[in-house]
């Protein structure tokens, strides 16, 4: 736990340091705004002082300069405050854009392996909601964390010159505020983190139930699941109200300190003014009234930066909650080529495993035990075995999403971790059990592999994948719109789209992970025929337990519980 707290604190400090660079102009305008506010308070004090003195004694007359100066300062303050708001908003936008790019890069770096330990709903919450909640941290908290000290100190200087006693009282009352903020701030941070966790659990549960709504209805559990979602929503409501309750208590400490300062100054200055009025010292009375009014009027200005800091303290708590989720993601990948990085000759790629072992969950033991094999360039390796034998783990190792605990995964003799990521991506095509299709046209989904492909290349891919066989049956041909996940296409048609993508990409390595697992025998045979054409001249690794695997000729390894049980060929 202490390490987690240290990591959160370190992350928050790093973000504060980065955000403070962009907030320098906001801090400067904030100080200017406070000084302008002091100037306005002085103008009002002069105007009211002259009016009160004329009413009480019948002497003195108002002057025009305080009115003009007040108007000038008001216009100046409005301009710099608007500029500060715009600058703060831009800083928040830039920081969120940077953080969201880092979060997405981390998610992509984790690949499918990340979904084994983190729910997709939690990842979506981190990338969208948690990053979005950091807007206040960068646009409000970071400037406020400097202004709550700097602005009151700047205000105390002119107040101390005009009325030292008022500066002393304001300073003492101001020192009481951080104590109350610290007491309630700890509770606010804990409550905010718990509120974020409740929101994440609710979103993950809701996403799960939406995905499995057909199963829920058929099992007659709709009412039970609705009740449980209601309970999760109620938990989120209670935690949200707790956050608000602690935030209100935090704000109350500033109100108490400000009231104490106002009452104290009013009593002391009022007594002094009454005694001077009784003595008949008109010049000193005018000065005392003016200075006393100035001290009273400047009190809200003195506490305004402290109030802004209290309001923004919740944004800091949100940042700590976001840090908890962001730090659970894999480290952001270094997109620059590391020292000794390689690109590997992509004309013909030899794959090999050298005594590779891997464990997903230590409690369940290794899923791969000392696996070694070689796939020469242009040849095919068939990984056969029942579900859970380790075939998909081998695929993820070849894709570079995970790293072996022991041993090495080699591409033409180069360890996969030493290959430039872009080069590895260009080198490998992958087709899984269920292809990922996006909501959009059929053309867009095929060209996703190579957006700049011309019509000739597209037509060749359509023929090779046999997409042209069902294309005439679609209402708009290649421009037919399909739903997310391939809604509107059969399983075999969707798989042919994936094959057409692989043709367009034209990578030298082809990884096939149970590509016909959910297809009927006739469709499976047709898809295997397309895959045979795609495999020509490529290094292929095919993971399957299908009986139609005899259509592929090549080396074969039979796996059971992560161990090689038998080999055929020289693999």
């Amino acid at each position: 736990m202490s390490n987690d707290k240290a990591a959160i604190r370190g992350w928050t400090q790093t973000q504060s340091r980065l955000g403070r660079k962009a907030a320098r102009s906001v801090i400067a305008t904030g100080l200017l705004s406070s000084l302008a506010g002091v100037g306005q308070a002085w103008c009002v004090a002069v105007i009211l002082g002259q009016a009160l003195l004329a009413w009480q004694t019948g002497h003195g007359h108002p002057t025009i300069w305080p009115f003009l100066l007040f108007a000038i300062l008001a216009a100046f303050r409005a301009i710099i405050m608007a500029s500060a708001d715009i600058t703060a908003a831009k800083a928040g936008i830039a920081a969120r854009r940077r953080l969201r790019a880092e979060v997405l890069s981390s998610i992509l770096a984790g690949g499918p392996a990340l979904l084994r330990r983190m729910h997709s709903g939690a990842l979506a919450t981190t990338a969208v909601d948690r990053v979005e909640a950091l807007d206040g941290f960068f646009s409000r908290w970071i400037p406020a964390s400097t202004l709550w000290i700097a602005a009151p100190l700047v205000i105390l200087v002119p107040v101390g010159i005009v009325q030292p006693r008022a500066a002393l009282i304001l300073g003492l009352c101001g020192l009481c505020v951080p104590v109350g903020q610290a007491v309630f701030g700890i509770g606010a941070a804990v409550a905010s983190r718990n509120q974020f966790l409740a929101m994440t659990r609710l979103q993950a549960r809701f996403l799960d139930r939406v995905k499995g709504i057909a199963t829920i209805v058929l099992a007659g559990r709709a009412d039970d699941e609705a009740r449980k979602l209601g309970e999760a929503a109620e938990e989120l409501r209670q935690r949200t109200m707790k956050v608000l309750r602690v935030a209100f208590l935090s704000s109350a400490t500033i109100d108490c300190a400000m009231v104490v300062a106002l009452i104290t100054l009013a009593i002391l200055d009022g007594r002094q003014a009454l005694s001077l009025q009784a003595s008949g010292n008109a010049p000193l009375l005018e000065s005392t009234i003016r200075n006393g009014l100035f001290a009273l009027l400047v009190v809200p200005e003195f506490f305004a930066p402290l109030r802004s800091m209290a309001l923004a303290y919740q944004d800091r708590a949100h940042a700590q909650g976001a840090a908890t989720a962001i730090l659970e993601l894999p480290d952001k990948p270094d997109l620059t080529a590391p020292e000794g990085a390689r690109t590997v000759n992509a004309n013909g790629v030899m794959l090999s495993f050298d005594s590779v072992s891997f464990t997903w969950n230590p409690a369940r033991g290794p899923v791969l035990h000392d696996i070694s094999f070689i796939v020469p360039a242009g040849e095919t390796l068939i990984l056969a075995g029942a579900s859970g034998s380790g075939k998909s783990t081998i695929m993820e190792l070849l894709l570079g999403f995970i790293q072996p605990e022991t041993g090495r995964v080699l591409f033409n003799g180069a360890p996969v971790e030493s290959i430039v990521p872009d080069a590895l991506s260009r080198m490998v095509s992958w087709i899984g059990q269920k292809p990922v299709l996006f909501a959009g046209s059929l053309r867009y989904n095929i060209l996703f592999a190579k957006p700049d492909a011309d019509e000739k290349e597209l037509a060749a891919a359509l023929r090779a994948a046999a997409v042209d066989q069902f294309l005439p049956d679609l209402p708009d041909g290649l421009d037919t719109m399909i739903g997310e996940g391939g809604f509107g296409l059969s399983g075999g048609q969707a798989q042919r789209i994936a094959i057409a993508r692989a043709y367009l990409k034209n990578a030298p390595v082809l990884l096939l992970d149970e590509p016909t697992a959910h297809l009927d025998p006739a469709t499976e045979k047709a898809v295997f025929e397309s895959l045979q054409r795609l495999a020509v001249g490529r290094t292929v690794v095919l993971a399957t337990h299908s009986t139609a695997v005899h259509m592929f000729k090549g080396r074969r390894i039979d796996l059971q519980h992560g161990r090689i049980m038998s080999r055929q060929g020289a693999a």
Side-chain angles (χ1 to χ4, degrees):
M1 179 63 74
S2 60
N3 290 336
D4 293 341
K5 290 182 178 179
I8 292 172
R9 186 166 55 251
W11 185 89
T12 305
Q13 290 174 349
T14 300
Q15 298 304 320
S16 297
R17 186 171 60 254
L18 293 173
R20 199 167 286 117
K21 294 179 181 178
R24 288 172 182 170
S25 59
V26 180
I27 295 170
T29 53
L31 293 176
L32 288 175
S33 177
S34 296
L35 289 174
V38 173
Q40 287 181 289
W42 176 255
C43 293
V44 174
V46 171
I47 295 170
L48 293 178
Q50 291 176 347
L52 286 173
L53 186 63
W55 177 64
Q56 289 288 336
T57 64
H59 300 289
H61 57 278
T63 55
I64 194 66
W65 70 264
F67 294 94
L68 294 176
L69 181 59
F70 181 88
I72 294 172
L73 289 174
F76 172 73
R77 193 176 191 188
I79 293 172
I80 61 176
M81 288 180 68
S83 174
D85 289 343
I86 294 173
T87 304
K90 289 181 178 179
I93 292 172
R96 281 179 288 145
R97 184 184 295 116
R98 171 179 57 81
L99 273 178
R100 187 167 283 117
E102 292 179 0
V103 168
L104 290 176
S105 296
S106 297
I107 293 174
L108 292 175
L114 185 61
L115 294 176
R116 293 180 181 265
R117 61 182 182 87
M118 294 186 68
H119 194 281
S120 58
L123 293 176
T125 300
T126 301
V128 179
D129 295 330
R130 298 218 176 206
V131 173
E132 197 65 27
L134 291 173
D135 176 55
F137 177 77
F138 291 101
S139 62
R140 292 188 294 271
W141 164 256
I142 290 179
S145 64
T146 300
L147 286 173
W148 81 276
I149 296 177
L153 289 177
V154 169
I155 291 172
L156 284 178
V157 173
V159 174
I161 295 173
V162 174
Q163 196 178 62
R165 181 179 59 193
L168 178 62
I169 293 172
L170 286 176
L172 292 175
C173 291
L175 288 175
C176 296
V177 173
V179 178
Q181 293 296 306
V183 172
F184 293 111
I186 295 173
V190 174
S192 178
R193 284 197 294 270
N194 291 336
Q195 188 251 4
F196 260 121
L197 289 174
M199 183 174 66
T200 300
R201 286 195 293 268
L202 175 60
Q203 290 175 323
R205 188 179 189 90
F206 183 77
L207 179 62
D208 259 348
R209 273 48 184 182
V210 168
K211 287 181 176 179
I213 193 161
T215 302
I216 292 172
V217 172
L218 291 174
R221 298 296 302 276
D223 291 340
D224 291 340
E225 291 302 326
R227 177 178 54 81
K228 291 177 181 178
L229 282 172
E231 292 173 354
E234 176 63 18
E235 179 192 5
L236 177 60
R237 184 193 69 82
Q238 292 177 354
R239 294 190 182 279
T240 302
M241 295 307 296
K242 185 175 182 180
V243 171
L244 294 175
R245 184 166 61 248
V246 175
F248 285 139
L249 289 173
S250 176
S251 179
T253 60
I254 298 178
D255 294 331
C256 291
M258 187 167 66
V259 169
V260 169
L262 283 170
I263 293 174
T264 304
L265 289 173
I267 292 174
L268 294 177
D269 292 336
R271 291 179 59 184
Q272 184 178 3
L274 289 174
S275 63
L276 288 173
Q277 185 180 8
S279 66
N281 190 341
L284 187 57
L285 177 61
E286 180 182 2
S287 174
T288 301
I289 293 175
R290 182 182 62 245
N291 295 345
L293 287 171
F294 171 69
L296 290 173
L297 291 170
V298 88
V299 169
E301 196 68 44
F302 177 83
F303 283 96
L306 298 174
R307 187 180 297 279
S308 298
M309 191 270 290
L311 294 174
Y313 201 90
Q314 185 65 23
D315 296 314
R316 181 178 181 272
H318 284 178
Q320 292 177 335
T324 304
I326 293 174
L327 290 173
E328 292 179 359
L329 298 174
D331 292 336
K332 179 184 176 183
D334 184 4
L335 299 181
T336 60
E339 183 178 355
R342 305 178 61 176
T343 56
V344 177
N345 181 8
N347 294 325
V349 180
M350 179 184 69
L351 306 177
S352 59
F353 270 42
D354 182 11
S355 302
V356 172
S357 297
F358 185 81
T359 301
W360 287 111
N361 187 347
R364 300 177 61 181
V367 294
L368 294 180
H369 302 263
D370 196 30
I371 300 295
S372 297
F373 61 77
I374 295 175
V375 188
E379 295 195 15
T380 297
L381 171 66
I382 300 168
L383 300 175
S387 297
S389 60
K391 302 187 301 296
S392 295
T393 301
I394 290 177
M395 290 294 182
E396 293 195 26
L397 286 165
L398 288 168
L399 289 166
F401 290 135
I402 53 177
Q403 303 297 326
E405 292 178 353
T406 60
R408 299 183 301 167
V409 178
L410 306 172
F411 281 64
N412 278 355
V416 66
E417 62 271 14
S418 71
I419 301 174
V420 177
D422 286 345
L424 182 63
S425 176
R426 291 192 300 269
M427 199 186 309
V428 178
S429 290
W430 172 82
I431 300 176
Q433 298 181 21
K434 187 176 181 181
V436 177
L437 299 181
F438 305 100
S441 68
L442 202 64
R443 180 189 302 273
Y444 166 77
N445 274 276
I446 296 175
L447 290 176
F448 187 80
K450 189 179 179 182
D452 58 345
D454 56 32
E455 289 298 323
K456 184 178 180 180
E457 292 175 303
L458 178 60
L462 295 177
R463 288 193 302 272
V467 174
D468 56 348
Q469 293 181 7
F470 66 85
L471 202 57
D473 300 330
L474 300 179
D476 298 316
L478 279 177
D479 296 318
T480 300
M481 303 299 291
I482 60 175
E484 183 179 354
F487 182 79
L489 298 178
S490 69
Q493 290 171 338
Q495 204 65 295
R496 290 180 183 277
I497 300 300
I499 295 172
R501 283 177 178 171
Y503 268 104
L504 275 183
K505 188 174 182 181
N506 196 27
V509 176
L510 178 63
L511 304 180
L512 306 174
D513 188 5
E514 303 280 8
T516 61
H518 305 294
L519 304 179
D520 60 84
T523 305
E524 179 184 48
K525 182 175 182 297
V527 169
F528 264 132
E529 289 175 352
S530 295
L531 289 174
Q532 280 182 307
R533 293 192 293 270
L534 176 61
V536 174
R538 292 178 170 86
T539 306
V540 181
V541 178
L542 168 62
T544 184
H545 54 259
S546 169
T547 56
V549 72
H550 64 274
M551 298 179 65
F552 271 80
K553 305 299 182 183
R555 304 158 185 259
R556 176 181 174 125
I557 290 178
D558 291 292
L559 297 169
Q560 185 176 356
H561 302 304
R563 300 180 185 274
I564 296 178
M565 305 307 295
S566 63
R567 300 173 186 263
Q568 296 179 18

